[in-house]
Amino acid sequence: MASFTLHVNGKTHQVDVDPSTPILWVLRDHLNLVGTKYGCGIAQCGACTIHVEGSAVRSCQLPVSAVSSQKITTIEGLSEQADHPVQKAWLEHDVPQCGYCQAGQIMSAASLLNNNPNPSDQEIEDTMSGNICRCGTYFRIKAAIKSASNSQEA
Amino acid sequence: MTLIKTTYGRRSFLKVSALAGGGMVIGFSWLASCKPKVDDVAKMPDEWFEINGFLKIGDNGMITIMSPNPEIGQNVKTSMPMIIAEELDADWKDVIVEQAPLNTAVFTRQLAGGSQSIRQSWDGLRMAGAGARYMLVQAAAKTWNVPAEEITTAAGVLSHEASGQTAGYGEMAAAAVSIPVPEELELKEFKDFKIIRTSRKNVDAKNIVTGKPLFGLDYKKEGMLIAMTVHPPAFGMKLKSVEDTEARQMPGIKDVMVINTYEEGTPRRWCDVDSFPELVVVIGNSTWEVLQAKKALNIEWEPFEAYEYEVYGWSEENTSKHKVPSGLESTSDHLMRMKEAAGKTANVVRKDGDPEKAFKNADQIIESVYTAPFLAHNTLEPMNFFADVTDEKAELVGPIQTPEYMEKSVSDRIGLPLDKIDIQMTRQGGGFGRRLYGHFLVEAAVISQKVKAPVKLIYTREDDMSFGIYRPAYYVTYRAALDKDKNLIGFHVKSGGIPEAALFANRYPAGAVENYLAESWTQSSNISVGAWRAPSSNFIAGAEQSFLDEVAEAAGKDPIDFRLELFEKAMKNPVGERNDYDAERYAGVLKMVKEKSGWNSNSAGLHRGVAAYYCHNSYVANVLDIEMKGDKPVIKKVYCTVDCGIVVNPIAATNMMEGGTVDGIGHAMYSQMTFKDGVPQQNNFDKYRLIRHNEAPKEIEVHFVDSDVHPTGLGEPPLPPVMGALANALYKATGKRFYHQPFMYNGSEMPS
Ligand code: FES
Ligand code: FES
């Protein structure tokens, strides 16, 4: 056990956990932030995607000890009122089916647009291929990313 | 005018109250779980009036509609309340939807399966809305002292034109509560629908995109412990011994125990499929601590002897024996066994005319074998359940498709009566059939009872994938006989599998061929199987639709024209009496896809495949276009045409069509579960391939048949046919037929 100071969604938290604990489980079990999902635990499905210093990372493979001084954003902190351009586009396109993968999809998409406000189809496909959707909502995800990209441009 | 009887089946549905006492103020869990906007709070009424088990109306006109069925991503939580709101004549923006708990006194068939939620609830939901509207109209008539027939409703407002009086539903709700519902109610004409047939967005969408705690895995309760299980590494094995000294001493660990999910000698239900009833369980404070302790266990396993257990039939009156053979099975042996079995005599399921003679006299015989592997469900949310079991009661919360059945199984197992068991359904991170089988719910209850604490049971992805209730492995042989004029004079399907076969003997092309033979065979196995999105159809559609393409080619006919000729025959002069499809609707979607895809005109540079299929009461046809990029096939576009009767919610129905199309392509192309000495060879997404974003079709175009037929489901029908359309397009693109799923391993060769 060790004590860590975490900076999540603009707040500072103190947690006492095993240093090897992936940040995913610290968020879910200790900080009550369950929007970040568990899907595989081996960085294959993207359900656990969060932002560390603004970049998308898989939280299931990231030990708490590696991020304790960095700025973390989770789906809960992406916006105050579901009004991040990506969230708005998701609502507009009615993307979710079961919805389980969508927090991870949104975090990946938000980071993509942050780095590349006007991605090509190929760039969207390449970046988003790390996020599995068993319900098969890829087609809408792409459409939503495109409209979020246009809206950011405007 | 459409009238409907309010006594329906065995109960009079609109009289039972879902909650104790009408007119009470109810706290909203969604308000607790979301950070509400100020105007959301301002919109809340001071008082709620319960009109019937399905809905309550607030004094300010807000309406809460209970969605009875489990939500697994098929969007019933939006579409079922839409049907109620339509007949109620509510304004959709005033509606809040809540997931109903399991309540067999109020709701019928709280089950997600077989794409039947909408089809089987259509009448009941309309009645609930119409009944509430009736009560409001009567209340207004009394209050205003005018004839009820003169009162009209629209968007949550009652009006009496002659006297100029109007009132919102909220103003009449208190008076409406005590109005009795008559034995018959008037329903709307379809042409007057204002909510049904319009696109309404997912009622949970905002909570989903903001990461609210909606799913079973997100559920928490004060004092809750985390439990995880360890099951045998191979089908055919059981527990021998556990050495847990080290695990017990690890930080955060509360207990290590062995449980028996289903006690020997007690009959199980159809949904109690469970290959590993004896499990080692680790219980602790947090997920990570339990995961570490799991690894520290030292467990010995041993092969089991063949055994059998009793299973209740559907009526639960009689039981039959389910036999589980011993042995450690491998995919290579399965393939050999299936090949051998396919050459032996099988059960004749249907025979028309004289197929033997037709094949003897044939000018040309086409024969092909198609196969497909076991598949795991891989709902993205792994199996999990919360249980808090005390001596007095059991509280269970989580994702389950069959709450009504599982409540009985839990009751049998933990010894509490049904009325002491409360099952709450969370939103479910996918179902696809996996959550029909609720052993994990029973496990959670048994663990909680033993540790005397609230417990959330969590499966890791590896636990989930290797404790599967898989789609069976299939093998089908098709033969077709053509006469010298290339007419199809005989058709033979011999379908088998481990441990089940996929066959719909009375469906197309049965009824369209004079001489027809359908047979089946099976081979036993101790690998557990169950329903997987579009059971049987998820294989047989692709195989049959590919084979028909081969036959059309041999007959020198266009694949669509060839199929349409057969439908023509089935319509005008059907063979046999038990044909289980409507040839006209079937042909309808095929003609529509021909037109929408520009089949004859629009194909420059494209390799096109077609398929049409009927299952779960809905009809779907596809044209799929492939473009080759070097030696890599790229799916440019899929056209889908659908006849599912009335389309309740077009935007959601389109979403289901798109998703099912992607899912069908993905599984035909990439997915398989193989075994070596009983051990599942794929246990996470590094080895088990699911389709990814860059492999999905670039475009999907969906068209619905305009119809006044009662609505049917869309959870399953989109998936099966596209597998055939894909195989047929791949043939055009590569010159090779794809007989063996998954296609990505060169599906033209039988795997070894
Ligand atoms: S849970 Fe982290 S990538 Fe799947
Ligand atoms: S919406 Fe169900 S997994 Fe993506």
Side-chain angles (χ1 to χ4, degrees):
Chain A
M1 290 289 175
S3 187
F4 296 94
T5 306
L6 297 173
H7 307 283
V8 184
N9 301 334
K11 286 199 195 104
T12 304
H13 301 267
Q14 208 69 36
V15 289
D16 203 19
V17 293
D18 184 287
S20 70
T21 311
I23 189 73
L24 168 67
W25 296 115
V26 177
L27 293 168
R28 293 187 56 88
D29 283 359
H30 301 273
L31 301 183
N32 258 328
L33 293 167
V34 294
T36 307
K37 297 297 188 245
Y38 165 78
C40 70
I42 58 163
Q44 285 288 324
C45 76
C48 65
T49 306
I50 59 168
H51 296 172
V52 176
E53 299 292 343
S55 298
V57 290
R58 309 291 184 235
S59 66
C60 65
Q61 289 271 294
L62 192 65
V64 60
S65 52
V67 285
S68 77
S69 56
Q70 292 170 295
K71 256 174 54 195
I72 293 170
T73 309
T74 69
I75 186 75
E76 291 92 341
L78 194 60
S79 70
E80 275 287 303
Q81 293 291 349
D83 50 8
H84 184 281
V86 172
Q87 287 168 318
K88 276 164 58 184
W90 245 246
L91 293 172
E92 180 196 325
H93 288 268
D94 207 30
V95 175
Q97 283 190 25
C98 81
Y100 193 78
C101 73
Q102 300 295 346
Q105 304 274 7
I106 290 169
M107 295 308 278
S108 292
S111 146
L112 164 67
L113 292 180
N114 206 18
N115 299 328
N116 179 1
N118 277 301
S120 65
D121 279 22
Q122 189 64 50
E123 286 166 331
I124 294 176
E125 287 173 21
D126 290 346
T127 309
M128 297 309 291
S129 287
N131 289 74
I132 291 175
C133 176
R134 168 70 222 268
C135 300
T137 61
Y138 300 131
F139 185 58
R140 272 175 200 229
I141 288 172
K142 191 197 277 175
I145 292 175
K146 283 184 174 178
S147 69
S149 129
N150 294 335
S151 76
Q152 282 189 330
E153 219 176 323
Chain B
M1 185 164 73
T2 320
L3 289 171
I4 193 163
K5 290 224 181 314
T6 52
T7 39
Y8 195 70
R10 62 199 153 95
R11 63 192 104 196
S12 165
F13 252 79
L14 302 182
K15 299 214 174 98
V16 200
S17 171
L19 307 136
M24 55 190 285
V25 186
I26 289 136
F28 274 97
S29 52
W30 72 272
L31 272 184
S33 62
C34 329
K35 202 193 291 168
K37 273 198 201 169
V38 183
D39 47 315
D40 281 344
V41 178
K43 276 199 305 203
M44 281 298 111
D46 294 329
E47 203 173 349
W48 285 104
F49 301 96
E50 196 183 1
I51 308 296
N52 58 39
F54 288 83
L55 66 104
K56 53 199 178 213
I57 301 180
D59 55 3
N60 65 349
M62 289 295 287
I63 299 166
T64 297
I65 299 183
M66 307 301 284
S67 185
N69 283 29
E71 172 61 63
I72 56 176
Q74 80 285 47
N75 209 27
V76 288
K77 194 171 170 187
T78 306
S79 51
M80 293 179 94
M82 280 172 71
I83 300 170
I84 297 177
E86 177 70 69
E87 291 291 344
L88 174 60
D89 242 348
D91 192 336
W92 185 248
K93 74 171 172 26
D94 296 336
V95 172
I96 300 168
V97 177
E98 269 194 79
Q99 176 69 56
L102 176 65
N103 188 337
T104 50
V106 179
F107 308 112
T108 49
R109 198 186 179 278
Q110 285 183 283
L111 185 141
S115 298
Q116 297 299 310
S117 293
I118 293 292
R119 177 171 174 255
Q120 300 210 17
S121 306
W122 175 244
D123 285 339
L125 295 171
R126 293 182 76 194
M127 190 196 303
R133 180 182 168 277
Y134 172 90
M135 291 158 78
L136 291 160
V137 167
Q138 295 296 322
K142 259 196 198 163
T143 313
W144 296 334
N145 205 9
V146 301
E149 303 75 61
E150 291 175 11
I151 293 175
T152 57
T153 57
V157 177
L158 297 137
S159 316
H160 184 249
E161 207 187 310
S163 65
Q165 310 213 60
T166 63
Y169 282 2
E171 297 167 63
M172 288 297 163
V177 168
S178 52
I179 305 278
V181 180
E183 272 178 25
E184 253 180 358
L185 282 168
E186 195 180 327
L187 296 177
K188 278 189 180 177
E189 300 295 332
F190 295 161
K191 66 172 174 39
D192 297 327
F193 282 167
K194 293 190 179 67
I195 295 174
I196 292 173
R197 286 180 163 152
T198 65
S199 285
R200 306 291 165 156
K201 289 179 181 165
N202 187 328
V203 293
D204 274 343
K206 200 162 160 188
N207 288 338
I208 291 169
V209 304
T210 50
K212 295 296 179 292
L214 299 171
F215 298 92
L217 217 52
D218 304 340
Y219 188 80
K220 276 187 187 173
K221 191 177 174 178
E222 198 54 39
M224 179 183 89
L225 299 171
I226 300 291
M228 287 197 185
T229 62
V230 185
H231 65 76
F235 287 85
M237 299 264 242
K238 67 176 170 58
L239 181 64
K240 189 177 177 196
S241 65
V242 197
E243 165 47 48
D244 61 8
T245 322
E246 191 193 337
R248 282 179 178 279
Q249 284 159 5
M250 290 175 69
I253 298 308
K254 294 280 178 200
D255 207 346
V256 178
M257 57 171 71
V258 172
I259 63 160
N260 257 305
T261 312
Y262 295 101
E263 275 173 327
E264 255 172 76
T266 322
R268 298 193 204 170
R269 288 175 179 77
W270 67 272
C271 47
D272 291 320
V273 177
D274 183 353
S275 284
F276 305 123
E278 197 177 25
L279 299 166
V280 182
V281 186
V282 182
I283 300 143
N285 289 333
S286 72
T287 312
W288 188 247
E289 286 167 323
V290 173
L291 269 168
Q292 301 314 300
K294 253 181 99 166
K295 291 188 209 147
L297 290 168
N298 235 315
I299 309 178
E300 278 192 284
W301 312 96
E302 61 185 354
F304 61 62
E305 301 292 316
Y307 67 98
E308 52 185 37
Y309 59 87
E310 304 271 327
V311 184
Y312 285 115
W314 281 86
S315 68
E316 305 218 346
E317 278 157 17
N318 302 312
T319 61
S320 61
K321 289 221 187 304
H322 180 78
K323 290 188 168 52
V324 183
S326 63
L328 303 175
E329 301 172 21
S330 296
T331 298
S332 51
D333 304 336
H334 284 163
L335 288 166
M336 264 159 52
R337 277 169 63 198
M338 290 201 286
K339 220 170 169 171
E340 208 178 291
K344 294 190 176 153
T345 14
N347 299 324
V348 175
V349 188
R350 171 165 167 163
K351 186 172 172 177
D352 297 323
D354 191 343
E356 288 81 7
K357 201 168 133 204
F359 278 94
K360 225 174 93 204
N361 296 341
D363 184 64
Q364 188 183 355
I365 293 175
I366 304 112
E367 176 169 341
S368 295
V369 169
Y370 290 82
T371 68
F374 287 93
L375 290 176
H377 291 84
N378 284 327
T379 59
L380 207 58
E381 178 190 22
M383 298 307 110
N384 66 86
F385 229 85
F386 168 86
D388 187 5
V389 177
T390 63
D391 291 344
E392 288 77 44
K393 64 178 174 56
E395 192 191 329
L396 294 146
V397 186
I400 182 75
Q401 291 178 247
T402 47
E404 195 170 334
Y405 290 96
M406 291 317 301
E407 187 181 47
K408 295 182 197 160
S409 294
V410 167
S411 166
D412 288 350
R413 180 59 182 85
I414 63 175
L416 281 172
L418 287 178
D419 63 350
K420 297 283 187 277
I421 296 169
D422 179 35
I423 300 186
Q424 303 276 341
M425 285 171 278
T426 55
R427 190 173 181 86
Q428 320 198 11
F432 312 110
R434 181 60 182 85
R435 294 188 224 272
L436 293 166
Y437 311 100
H439 57 86
F440 47 87
L441 181 154
V442 184
E443 289 158 14
V446 171
I447 296 166
S448 172
Q449 191 176 40
K450 277 187 106 170
V451 293
K452 298 189 190 322
V455 156
K456 183 163 68 183
L457 170 69
I458 300 176
Y459 277 41
T460 62
R461 175 58 56 197
E462 289 83 0
D463 295 337
D464 185 285
M465 223 186 271
S466 59
F467 193 158
I469 297 182
Y470 305 105
R471 194 276 302 268
Y474 292 125
Y475 187 113
V476 64
T477 316
Y478 280 110
R479 292 197 304 146
L482 299 179
D483 68 10
K484 62 176 178 2
D485 299 322
K486 305 291 181 200
N487 294 310
L488 179 62
I489 52 167
F491 194 90
H492 178 196
V493 50
K494 189 173 184 182
S495 192
I498 297 184
E500 286 170 9
L503 178 67
F504 297 100
N506 296 321
R507 292 198 189 156
Y508 182 81
V513 193
E514 221 54 63
N515 306 294
Y516 172 88
L517 178 64
E519 299 179 286
S520 80
W521 54 266
T522 56
Q523 287 278 301
S524 68
S525 171
N526 56 28
I527 296 168
S528 42
V529 298
W532 190 103
R533 194 175 198 177
S536 296
S537 295
N538 58 39
F539 165 66
I540 209 70
E544 164 205 296
Q545 289 297 310
S546 301
F547 184 66
L548 286 178
D549 227 59
E550 291 191 71
V551 180
E553 190 183 38
K557 289 180 180 157
D558 172 83
I560 294 186
D561 294 343
F562 173 73
R563 286 170 172 82
L564 288 175
E565 277 172 29
L566 292 178
F567 286 126
E568 223 26 60
K569 162 106 179 111
M571 271 183 260
K572 292 213 177 98
N573 199 5
V575 182
E577 261 137 43
R578 289 177 297 154
N579 299 326
D580 168 29
Y581 61 92
D582 179 333
E584 207 173 323
R585 291 178 77 188
Y586 223 136
V589 288
L590 195 52
K591 284 179 193 156
M592 192 176 184
V593 88
K594 184 178 179 180
E595 180 214 317
K596 297 291 180 190
S597 68
W599 178 251
N600 292 328
S601 57
N602 203 5
S603 55
L606 296 173
H607 308 285
R608 319 194 94 175
V610 66
Y613 193 70
Y614 160 75
C615 64
H616 304 275
N617 313 95
S618 298
Y619 299 79
V620 174
N622 297 127
V623 165
L624 183 146
D625 292 342
I626 283 178
E627 199 180 78
M628 290 304 283
K629 283 240 164 81
D631 59 354
K632 208 177 142 256
V634 175
I635 302 172
K636 294 296 280 186
K637 185 160 181 175
V638 185
Y639 298 86
C640 313
T641 53
V642 197
D643 184 350
C644 57
I646 292 170
V647 181
V648 175
N649 186 4
I651 194 175
T654 307
N655 200 346
M656 287 312 294
M657 286 305 305
E658 293 163 1
T661 300
V662 171
D663 202 21
I665 291 170
H667 282 92
M669 198 75 188
Y670 304 108
S671 306
Q672 64 172 349
M673 174 56 76
T674 59
F675 297 87
K676 182 131 201 300
D677 300 326
V679 180
Q681 296 298 291
Q682 294 77 25
N683 67 357
N684 207 327
F685 297 129
D686 52 343
K687 302 189 195 89
Y688 194 106
R689 284 275 279 110
L690 285 176
I691 190 168
R692 290 181 181 269
H693 194 117
N694 58 354
E695 295 155 339
K698 306 293 171 215
E699 214 182 317
I700 302 172
E701 192 179 300
V702 181
H703 300 275
F704 294 95
V705 171
D706 203 4
S707 165
D708 270 348
V709 177
H710 283 198
T712 50
L714 278 182
E716 290 157 297
L719 178 132
V722 75
M723 295 175 157
L726 172 63
N728 296 338
L730 281 171
Y731 169 67
K732 286 278 158 61
T734 64
K736 276 193 294 193
R737 290 278 172 196
F738 283 71
Y739 295 110
H740 307 291
Q741 293 182 18
F743 300 151
M744 75 159 183
Y745 302 106
N746 188 8
S748 50
E749 310 275 320
M750 177 94 161
S752 49

